[in-house]
């Protein structure tokens, strides 16, 4: 009984962490719009540079430096984290580019594709079970996303690349033997040399890499907190929830991104008006299936 209650609390904590992670990710474009004067490569370099001290502090507070040593000393774990570092770095770069070049709708579509990728990876790679109502939700979401795809062919490469990199990142982070803080800390350390070299090169060209105004400098210094918090919440949630469930929750982030895109004047097409209600219906059905279960489904060991 106590074990069952503990499992249920563990999953509900994961559900809450996932909701918060995607809500914060959804409003992240507001931050990137505020620093749009900074080139995308510079922004990503700052994300890496200012994330590392924060992660080092968190690792120290949580006393998990021994875990860092174990992960680095394990060849397979370190290899996977090198790959996830490249995936998340590429994902960040393309996302910042899309937001600051007026392609936020294409970016939001990429993250609409991602939940379906997560559900399918959860089912066919991790062998998670889906009931009939959950499969219905997947089918409805697929139909809605197909409508969006038909209206976004010109920028589809952005959407597909964002989907592929983040879905692969999430899957590998779920199975790698490293917790959220440890894994993200190692990933950031792997990316740090490239970030430092890039900023040093830009500085040698006379570019104001710390921002051309005090306000911009302050915003760049926040890059670590702004980018690290959603990822930490995401990776913590991925350890507590089935990957398919985590995928359906992700519809929250692109919907918020979509609303921000409209706020900034990106054109709303008929395809969006057809697809978005279908996607939200799918999410409602999936959540209903979760609530009907005796307890929230458990991630496989």
């Amino acid at each position: 009984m106590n074990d069952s209650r503990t499992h249920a609390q563990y999953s509900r904590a994961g559900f809450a962490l996932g909701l918060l992670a995607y809500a914060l990710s959804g409003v992240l474009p507001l931050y990137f719009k505020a620093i749009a004067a900074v080139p995308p490569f510079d922004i990503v370099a700052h994300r890496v540079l200012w994330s590392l001290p924060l992660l080092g502090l968190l690792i120290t507070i949580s006393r998990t430096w021994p875990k860092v040593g174990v992960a680095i000393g394990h060849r397979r774990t370190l290899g996977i984290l090198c790959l996830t570092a490249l995936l998340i770095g590429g994902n960040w770069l393309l996302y910042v580019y899309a937001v600051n070049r007026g392609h936020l709708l294409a970016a939001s579509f990429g993250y609409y594709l991602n939940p379906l990728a997560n559900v399918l990876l959860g089912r066919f790679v991790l062998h998670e079970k889906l009931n009939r109502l959950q499969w219905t939700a997947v089918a409805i979401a697929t139909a809605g996303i197909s409508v969006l795809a038909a209206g976004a062919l010109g920028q589809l490469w952005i959407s597909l690349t964002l989907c592929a990199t983040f879905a692969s990142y999430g899957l590998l982070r779920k199975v790698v033997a490293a917790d959220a803080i440890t894994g993200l800390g190692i990933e950031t350390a792997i990316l740090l040399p490239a970030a430092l070299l890039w900023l040093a090169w830009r500085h040698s060209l006379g570019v104001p890499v710390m921002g051309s105004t005090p306000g911009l400098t302050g915003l760049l210094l926040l890059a670590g907190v702004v980018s690290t918090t959603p990822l930490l919440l995401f990776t913590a949630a991925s350890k507590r929830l089935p990957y398919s469930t985590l995928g359906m929750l992700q519809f929250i982030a692109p919907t918020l991104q979509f609303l921000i895109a409209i706020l900034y004047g990106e054109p709303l097409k008929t395809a969006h008006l057809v697809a978005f209600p279908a996607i939200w219906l799918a999410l409602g059905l999936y959540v209903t299936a979760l609530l009907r279960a005796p307890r929230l489904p458990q991630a496989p060991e």
Side-chain angles (χ1 to χ4, degrees):
M1 180 68 178
N2 288 336
D3 186 58
S4 176
R5 185 179 302 167
T6 300
H7 280 304
Q9 291 172 345
Y10 191 69
S11 284
R12 288 188 175 90
F15 199 77
L17 289 168
L19 285 173
L20 186 56
Y22 290 130
L24 291 175
S25 296
V27 299
L28 198 55
L30 295 174
Y31 172 76
F32 292 130
K33 290 289 188 182
I35 57 173
V38 181
F41 272 100
D42 291 18
I43 293 174
V44 173
H46 278 285
R47 288 184 75 164
V48 173
L49 178 61
W50 303 115
S51 293
L52 196 59
L54 173 63
L55 289 165
L57 178 62
L58 291 174
I59 291 171
T60 300
I61 293 173
S62 60
R63 300 179 180 178
T64 52
W65 283 110
K67 292 184 179 180
V68 174
V70 170
I72 292 174
H74 193 278
R75 183 177 298 178
R76 181 176 181 273
T77 298
L78 184 59
I80 292 175
L81 289 174
C82 285
L83 180 55
T84 57
L86 293 175
L87 286 170
I88 198 60
N91 182 273
W92 284 349
L93 183 60
L94 181 56
Y95 182 65
V96 174
Y97 165 82
V99 171
N100 287 349
R101 294 298 184 273
H103 303 312
L104 184 50
L105 283 177
S108 70
F109 177 47
Y111 289 114
Y112 270 122
L113 288 173
N114 193 240
L116 288 182
N118 288 356
V119 170
L120 295 176
L121 286 171
R123 173 63 185 89
F124 295 109
V125 178
L126 301 178
H127 307 293
E128 297 171 355
K129 302 297 183 182
L130 298 179
N131 61 34
R132 185 176 300 177
L133 190 57
Q134 289 169 324
W135 275 118
T136 301
V138 171
I140 293 173
T142 301
I145 287 172
S146 298
V147 174
L148 275 179
L153 293 177
Q155 299 166 356
L156 197 57
W157 70 273
I158 295 176
S159 307
L160 293 177
T161 305
L162 286 173
C163 171
T165 52
F166 199 69
S168 301
Y169 173 81
L171 177 64
L172 291 172
R173 282 306 308 269
K174 183 172 179 63
V175 300
V176 72
D179 60 40
I181 298 175
T182 299
L184 190 54
I186 295 172
E187 288 170 349
T188 305
I190 290 168
L191 295 173
L192 182 63
L196 289 174
L197 286 172
W198 175 263
L199 291 175
W201 176 68
R202 295 278 288 167
H203 178 71
S204 71
L205 297 178
V207 176
V209 293
M210 288 305 299
S212 55
T213 66
L216 201 54
T217 299
L219 287 172
L220 287 173
L221 291 174
L222 291 174
V225 173
V226 168
S227 61
T228 300
T229 302
L231 268 179
L232 283 173
L233 293 169
F234 168 78
T235 50
S238 73
K239 298 292 185 180
R240 293 166 168 82
L241 288 175
Y243 205 51
S244 50
T245 298
L246 195 66
M248 294 303 290
L249 285 179
Q250 192 177 342
F251 281 131
I252 295 167
T255 297
L256 292 173
Q257 294 164 8
F258 164 79
L259 294 174
I260 291 171
I262 300 305
L263 179 66
Y264 277 90
E266 292 192 30
L268 180 63
K269 300 178 180 179
T270 304
H272 298 115
L273 298 176
V274 174
F276 279 76
I279 289 167
W280 274 101
L281 175 59
L283 179 59
L285 289 174
Y286 200 91
V287 171
T288 299
L290 292 179
L291 295 176
R292 284 182 179 179
R295 65 174 188 264
L296 292 177
Q298 305 302 312
E301 298 295 334

